[in-house]
Amino acid sequence: MISFNYEIDFALENEDLYSEWIESVVESEGKTLGEINYIFCNDEYLHQINMQYLNHDTLTDIISFDYTEGDIISGDIFLSIERVKDNAKDFKVPFSEELKRVMAHGVLHYCGYKDKSEADEQLMRAKEEEKIKMFHVKH
């Protein structure tokens, strides 16, 4: 099950579409969907989590808490909409694309992908691009 929670004035336009997409991302990695909670928030909210749980005094676009057991993918993914908007401008991509990248990023961590080394980061970016292309708008 995928749930979307909003701590700021923001909402996904079609939650069902995003749910189906995230489920297909999980399945495309040979995993099973457990419970994934997306929490959309602002910089201040995410900064507090970063300080409290990770002891990092920095702004970030995403923090994910991984509750995956075996091949059952579960976790809480906190996303700063402010960071995503700024990153979209910095990377010169539409906000919707950057949002999908970050949403997929958290799930890819749960699937075992890392991003600490340069090689791992390159693989993560390639996987993010692959998963973004799986998002289909129904007509």
Side-chain angles (χ1 to χ4, degrees), residues 30-106:
K31 308 290 184 184
T32 302
L33 179 65
E35 276 193 50
I36 297 176
N37 299 302
Y38 283 94
I39 301 94
F40 298 96
C41 57
N42 62 16
D43 281 345
E44 183 180 341
Y45 189 100
L46 199 54
H47 182 251
Q48 288 300 318
I49 290 171
N50 214 2
M51 293 281 291
Q52 184 176 351
Y53 296 100
L54 303 175
N55 206 24
H56 296 161
D57 188 10
T58 57
L59 293 176
T60 186
D61 54 356
I62 181 173
I63 294 177
S64 57
F65 295 94
D66 189 351
Y67 312 130
T68 296
E69 293 182 13
D71 283 340
I72 301 173
I73 304 299
S74 298
D76 292 331
I77 299 173
F78 293 82
L79 298 171
S80 168
I81 293 301
E82 288 175 276
R83 279 304 93 225
V84 173
K85 284 179 179 175
D86 284 352
N87 289 346
K89 284 181 196 159
D90 291 346
F91 300 139
K92 297 178 176 46
V93 298
F95 168 76
S96 59
E97 181 179 324
E98 183 63 10
L99 181 64
K100 289 183 201 102
R101 185 190 68 75
V102 178
M103 290 176 74
H105 184 91

